């Protein structure tokens, strides 16, 4: 069996700020930009990897959610503890410097973790935790 991760979803609360982070800071390409205003879905992904995408979507759009559940999601997003993604790069320090230079919210500078991973972390404009690992060759 050959199974891959094709698309995952992260909430965004400001489409232009999300574009500034994922396109301009991280260098992802925009694959689709659908909708208007707050009801806008933006599909982004790494250049040269069309088989992997992230859809940046409005939060709590599921019609089965009630107001209390929507408030809970908004509170978790505000704390930065609702959604996360882990990316990887062969040059962590260069990417960290580039993303930090855009004014992105740094959670952790590049660090050698005791469990064998070198990584750094940012918070995107919606509060999502974006961790980036160093790919070892």
């Amino acid at each position: 069996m050959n199974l891959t991760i094709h698309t995952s979803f992260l909430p965004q609360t400001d489409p232009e700020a999300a574009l500034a982070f994922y396109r301009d800071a991280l260098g992802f390409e925009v694959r689709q930009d659908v909708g208007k205003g707050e009801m806008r879905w933006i599909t982004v992904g790494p250049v040269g990897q069309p088989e992997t995408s992230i859809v940046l979507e409005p939060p709590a759009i599921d019609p089965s959610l009630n107001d209390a559940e929507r408030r809970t999601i908004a509170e978790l997003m505000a704390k930065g503890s609702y959604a996360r993604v882990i990316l990887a790069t062969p040059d962590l320090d260069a990417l960290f410097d580039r993303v930090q230079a855009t004014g992105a919210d740094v959670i952790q500078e590049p660090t050698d973790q005791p469990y064998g991973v070198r990584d750094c972390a940012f918070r995107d404009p919606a509060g999502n935790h974006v961790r980036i690992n160093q790919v070892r060759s």
Side-chain angles (χ1 to χ4, degrees):
M1 178 182 343
N2 185 6
L3 184 64
T4 62
I5 296 174
H6 184 269
T7 304
S8 60
F9 294 80
L10 287 175
Q12 55 83 9
T13 53
D14 179 336
E16 293 306 320
L19 278 173
F21 183 79
Y22 286 94
R23 181 193 58 205
D24 304 337
L26 291 178
F28 281 179
E29 64 184 8
V30 176
R31 300 195 178 132
Q32 288 190 313
D33 192 341
V34 179
K36 290 184 177 179
E38 294 179 7
M39 297 306 284
R40 186 171 162 196
W41 287 260
I42 304 166
T43 303
V44 297
V47 174
Q49 298 178 42
E51 68 281 357
T52 304
S53 298
I54 296 174
V55 177
L56 305 168
E57 63 176 356
I61 57 172
D62 183 339
S64 69
L65 296 174
N66 63 38
D67 290 343
E69 291 165 331
R70 286 188 176 86
R71 277 193 303 276
T72 298
I73 289 171
E75 290 168 3
L76 290 171
M77 287 178 65
K79 288 176 56 178
S81 58
Y82 181 67
R84 73 189 69 165
V85 65
I86 299 177
L87 308 173
T89 181
D91 191 346
L92 182 68
D93 293 299
L95 181 62
F96 176 83
D97 290 344
R98 188 175 101 200
V99 175
Q100 183 183 37
T102 67
D105 184 7
V106 176
I107 297 173
Q108 173 204 300
E109 295 189 2
T111 302
D112 292 317
Q113 301 292 352
Y115 44 87
V117 173
R118 178 168 173 76
D119 64 1
C120 68
F122 294 92
R123 193 173 317 281
D124 80 3
N128 300 309
H129 186 133
V130 178
R131 184 161 291 278
I132 304 169
N133 289 355
Q134 171 88 38
V135 175
R136 299 185 191 272
S137 51

